[in-house]
Amino acid sequence: MVTWARQGPAVVGTLSVMDGRIGKVVLVGPRAAPKGAVLVLTSADGSSVETRPLAGQWTLLAPDQVIDVLCMQERVFGGGRLAPPGAL
């Protein structure tokens, strides 16, 4: 499950990744934008923060999280028919 919040023009989701770390997904643009979404994780020892483009990181997320992230990105930044989210 992803918990979403609005932070300025971005939408930030907090989630637990498959290896047990807590991470954040930051959505700032549509899927077509190379930097439209990033995954922010604390290193395993907690000493640093890693920021990775979300593309290529899908194996760190559970299937329901992938769907939630893609749908939220489309709802906020896409041109499809998904309704915009309510208040975040």
Side-chain angles (χ1 to χ4, degrees):
M1 179 175 183
V2 182
T3 304
W4 296 102
R6 176 94 48 190
Q7 287 188 345
V11 176
V12 178
T14 303
L15 47 76
S16 177
V17 296
M18 297 297 276
D19 65 7
R21 293 183 285 172
I22 300 298
K24 294 194 182 285
V25 173
V26 181
L27 304 176
V28 295
R31 285 192 65 205
K35 295 182 182 178
V38 295
L39 181 61
V40 180
L41 296 169
T42 304
S43 63
D45 65 2
S47 65
S48 63
V49 174
E50 306 170 49
T51 301
R52 308 173 182 178
L54 191 56
Q57 303 303 312
W58 299 116
T59 58
L60 291 174
L61 305 180
D64 63 319
Q65 292 172 320
V66 172
I67 292 167
D68 196 7
V69 168
L70 292 174
C71 286
M72 183 59 75
Q73 191 172 21
E74 179 63 25
R75 292 174 74 194
V76 175
F77 299 105
R81 295 182 183 187
L82 293 179
L88 294 176

